[in-house]
Amino acid sequence: MNGSAARALLQRALRLISDDKELWIEYFRLELLLVEKIKARRRVLGIDGEKETGDSDEVQATGSEETEDAGFIDLPQLDEEGGQDLMVERLTEKALAQLDQKTAASVGNLTEEQRAAMSQQTNAYLQGAVAQIVFEQAIQAISDDLSFRQELIAIAGQFAGAEQLRQRVLDSIRHDFVTDADARAYLCSVHLSTISTESPELIDGLQLAVENFKQALSELDTPEMWAKYVEFLSQWLDASESMKSLQAYFTAQRKRAVAMIGESRDARLNEELALSCADVIEADGGDVLSWLADAAQRFPESADVWHRRMSALVAGNRDGLASGIASSSRIDNLFTSQALLQAPDSRKLWDLWFDWTELWFSRKDVSADKVQARYMSAFARVTQQRTLQALLADPAILAQVQALVAHLQTRYIDWAWKLPASHQPLSAFGELAHAQFRPDDDDSDMEDGEQCVEPAAGNIEALRQAYRNVTRHAFPTPGFYRRCIELETDAKHLAMLHEMACRVDEAESEPWLAYLRFLAKSKQLSQASGVFWRATQTIPDAEQPAFEAAYKNMFQ
């Protein structure tokens, strides 16, 4: 396909889908490629000395026909009436071929002075004026997408002589994204993309970037902008590991940045920045626990901040590094009375709590009954949260909480399954009511020398007691029953689990199909017939044909 046809096709597509980023990017790239193609021809013909004289913005488009002056291409008109029509220029391959043909015929008769004069008659087209018009139309159609303009800058950087166009795109970002921290950070360091990491210019380029950031922070003193600055310093600190001078420079700059953030926490700190600073303080050997305690007070509902703080406390307690500062009872109180209360829907926070609980169980500092009591308490708390969310009628939030309930129930089942086969039987839920979690108590129900390791086959009795506790005193989820069915081996118990799984949501066909597959595999045909009939009474009519077809396939 020639350039004219490609241009026409892209224009036609953009008239239909004017906000398509990929189409604009390819249109922009096409115009630069066509300019590069013409320049290559001119170099072959010996007229490659063109210079970018004059500002392409001031060049007026005149038409698509070739002028009488050799070596000069007129820029076509832009349709001023309707931006939706985009470009109407037609720089056809035929016109370009005629230009090259005429130039080739006359180039042998030119004097050196005439050749130089021709080289200076560079047309606005060869300076990228059409690509610039495409860019200006593109940002009218897609005005607030920073990544879109970044892609255009990257494309312009691939072509020699397009620096003026690249600078124009950068200027548009400066003008249109004044308060955008991502844009300001990009502009601070964009020049580094043109400098090799092995170039002696790198150090000067990095120092310029730091100065650019400081200037940007003086104009945009926001938490987001400080977070971008700390991120930039950390990235280059890691990247300059083999260069001691740069390491010292970035370490000092980063420490100073964190100190300045700490001096004005009310104005400069948000959740993301608090976590970034915590990483810096910890890497530098500072008092990260005090910083995270303050962050948790400032952002009490942030699951990420609480997870970061509790992870640091648990790690210190586990390694014996924080005795007297983060005792087991202190960690337990923070989890139950603050962290999980403030962020009850955080899966990673619940997992951290149970990881820590099961660690103490593996060390024989707590009994299995106390671990169970903690799980049952979690089910009640999260189920209550699910009920509250259901009142908001937000399907997305409700689904998230339901997934958390299923995850915790499945985790409880897996924990019970992994108990040593020699472990005494788990207690029923009623016997757990007064089991409090006190890690410092020495009342483990494990014998001396017993190891808490995963058995090869699993503790089937512990598993059964665990799922009885859930089915009788919690709200089992489909995921919970699926996991129980995966671990159970006895046919009678499996039938019971399948039966109860179907009752969770009787309109859902998959539990019924799983039950029927189990009955078919165990040759219980009469029971399968009865289950099939019951399923057809509850499954929606729209799903009946697919359900019946799947049922018939089981017995073919």
Side-chain angles (χ1 to χ4, degrees), residues 132-164:
Q132 181 174 308
I133 294 172
V134 172
F135 157 70
E136 291 171 352
Q137 294 289 308
I139 64 173
Q140 289 181 23
I142 307 173
S143 59
D144 57 354
D145 192 327
L146 175 63
S147 63
F148 176 54
R149 301 196 197 191
Q150 289 173 331
E151 289 188 63
L152 296 179
I153 289 172
I155 292 171
Q158 298 171 6
F159 295 89
E163 180 56 34
Q164 184 178 358

Side-chain angles (χ1 to χ4, degrees), residues 43-61:
R43 285 193 292 270
V44 171
L45 296 172
I47 50 174
D48 58 344
E50 60 266 19
K51 292 187 279 186
E52 295 183 2
T53 58
D55 190 341
S56 62
D57 290 338
E58 300 175 358
V59 179
Q60 297 296 323

Side-chain angles (χ1 to χ4, degrees), residues 6-21:
R7 180 186 293 114
L9 184 61
L10 284 167
Q11 289 175 355
R12 187 179 306 149
L14 284 167
R15 288 189 183 97
L16 298 174
I17 326 172
S18 62
D19 59 349
D20 189 286
K21 286 171 52 175

Side-chain angles (χ1 to χ4, degrees), residues 439-471:
D440 297 322
D441 291 349
D442 185 18
D443 61 351
S444 171
D445 56 6
M446 288 190 285
E447 301 294 335
D448 291 341
E450 182 180 335
Q451 300 296 317
C452 185
V453 296
E454 181 178 356
N459 191 329
I460 192 66
E461 292 303 323
L463 169 71
R464 289 170 182 167
Q465 184 57 61
Y467 68 62
R468 279 195 293 267
N469 285 338
V470 173
T471 55

Side-chain angles (χ1 to χ4, degrees), residues 171-228:
D171 289 342
S172 76
I173 294 176
R174 290 189 183 92
H175 181 271
D176 297 341
F177 295 86
V178 177
T179 60
D180 189 305
D182 289 324
R184 298 297 293 267
Y186 173 75
L187 293 172
C188 288
S189 59
V190 66
H191 62 279
L192 294 175
S193 63
T194 62
I195 303 175
S196 169
T197 55
E198 299 178 356
S199 171
E201 299 176 357
L202 178 62
I203 294 179
D204 291 338
L206 290 171
Q207 291 177 338
L208 176 59
V210 170
E211 293 304 316
N212 288 342
F213 267 106
K214 291 179 179 179
Q215 177 62 34
L217 286 165
S218 69
E219 301 170 0
L220 188 66
D221 189 358
T222 64
E224 292 77 16
M225 194 68 221
W226 280 99
K228 291 297 177 182

